Amino acid sequence: MDKREMLDRLAANGDERLLLGRVWDKYEQCRRRNLPEGTGFLSPAEQAALSPLIAFWGGYDGAQRRQLWFLPEWQEAPEEDAVRVVRASFYEEDALTHRDLLGSLMALGLTRETLGDILVFPRWADVLATAPAAELLLSDWTDAGRVRLHTAPLPLAQLTPPQEKTKEIRDTVSSLRLDSVLAVGFSLSRGKAAEAVTSGRPSDQKGQGVRHPEALSIKKGEITSWMKRKSPASTSWPPRRKRRRA
């Protein structure tokens, strides 16, 4: 399969075509030079578009943002520093959020593809990053807003991801249509669930909004997220996004 045939076959839109084209170029570089080639960190939506091609690595099992690597025949896994971890410590009363930390990282001039997951704990945050980005964090990342940070490298083997909070819901639905499952999973009326679907607020595993309730059926193991928007009078931000696994 050549590049054009692959793009015509797999790309659903212009963005996916651009992404697949970049990945194909990485594959060709690996094949010609017989050296490992990898992408930056990819969002879940980008990974879903590339999933027919290959597996991913984000530093730990269950990582949301992951890299894609093409390896030569003599290499079984990416280099050890393909994903590095920087721990930023702060006082518990500072109560930094993912949004606070991401904003401070973007202020350093980093692009999102150089950063993996940001794991937030009460007194520290572990940031997964490419090797060049990690070096920048260790030298220049000193604060998040008005909060002072102390950064240090953390061996990947010592990374302990926070346990994701889950709630098991058992119920019976008339069908596996998205609005039916959404109503049960997020405790909504059927009308509000259908309205949320038509407004494009829930998204599927590819991160794509779904406009018609009858257009999508949920399959076992799929993850659906729904952003709960506040009323215009509310000052809470960002909107809360809940995720449910079918």
Side-chain angles (χ1 to χ4, degrees):
M1 184 188 305
D2 62 16
K3 182 176 180 179
R4 182 183 296 275
E5 182 182 355
M6 184 272 293
L7 295 177
D8 291 340
R9 180 177 176 182
L10 297 179
N13 52 52
D15 289 339
E16 285 191 6
R17 192 177 185 89
L18 183 62
L19 172 65
L20 288 166
R22 295 204 313 267
V23 169
W24 180 274
D25 292 339
K26 292 288 186 181
Y27 162 73
E28 284 294 323
Q29 291 172 20
C30 173
R31 185 180 62 83
R32 291 195 304 266
R33 300 167 57 195
N34 200 32
L35 292 173
E37 291 288 343
T39 69
F41 287 94
L42 303 171
S43 69
E46 291 170 328
Q47 294 170 46
L50 298 172
S51 59
L53 298 179
I54 203 166
F56 305 88
W57 173 237
Y60 67 97
D61 292 338
Q64 289 193 22
R65 295 184 60 80
R66 298 179 292 177
Q67 300 169 331
L68 184 153
W69 280 91
F70 293 106
L71 302 174
E73 293 182 359
W74 51 266
Q75 187 171 346
E76 296 182 355
E79 300 290 344
E80 291 185 0
D81 66 348
V83 176
R84 293 177 56 182
V85 185
V86 174
R87 172 163 291 182
S89 302
F90 45 85
Y91 291 110
E92 186 170 355
E93 54 266 28
D94 291 326
L96 288 176
T97 65
H98 185 282
R99 181 169 178 260
D100 297 328
L101 295 163
L102 180 58
S104 66
L105 292 168
M106 295 295 98
L108 293 175
L110 293 169
T111 59
R112 194 63 180 98
E113 68 175 9
T114 65
L115 301 170
D117 288 356
I118 302 172
L119 308 177
V120 184
F121 297 86
R123 294 184 293 109
W124 69 83
D126 292 333
V127 179
L128 290 90
T130 62
E135 291 298 328
L136 179 64
L137 297 185
L138 292 171
S139 62
D140 293 359
W141 194 28
T142 58
D143 57 75
R146 297 181 179 180
V147 177
R148 298 291 296 177
L149 302 175
H150 172 72
T151 58
L154 180 74
L156 191 59
Q158 296 181 18
L159 179 70
T160 304
Q163 186 174 3
E164 187 174 6
K165 295 181 179 179
T166 60
K167 176 182 178 182
E168 183 174 344
I169 301 174
R170 294 179 177 270
D171 209 325
T172 302
V173 294
S174 57
S175 71
L176 291 180
R177 268 179 37 170
L178 178 60
D179 54 342
S180 298
V181 178
L182 191 68
V184 171
F186 295 95
S187 302
L188 301 172
S189 68
R190 183 66 179 271
K192 287 187 177 180
E195 180 185 353
V197 174
T198 55
S199 68
R201 284 161 60 185
S203 59
D204 59 14
Q205 291 184 102
K206 292 187 177 182
Q208 298 171 340
V210 182
R211 296 291 179 177
H212 304 288
E214 67 277 4
L216 181 68
S217 293
I218 297 296
K219 299 177 182 178
K220 182 178 179 180
E222 287 188 337
I223 296 175
T224 299
S225 60
W226 175 58
M227 183 173 286
K228 184 176 182 181
R229 302 186 188 280
K230 299 290 185 179
S231 64
S234 172
T235 58
S236 176
W237 185 260
R240 291 188 301 163
R241 179 176 287 277
K242 296 183 178 180
R243 302 169 73 236
R244 294 289 187 268
R245 181 184 295 275

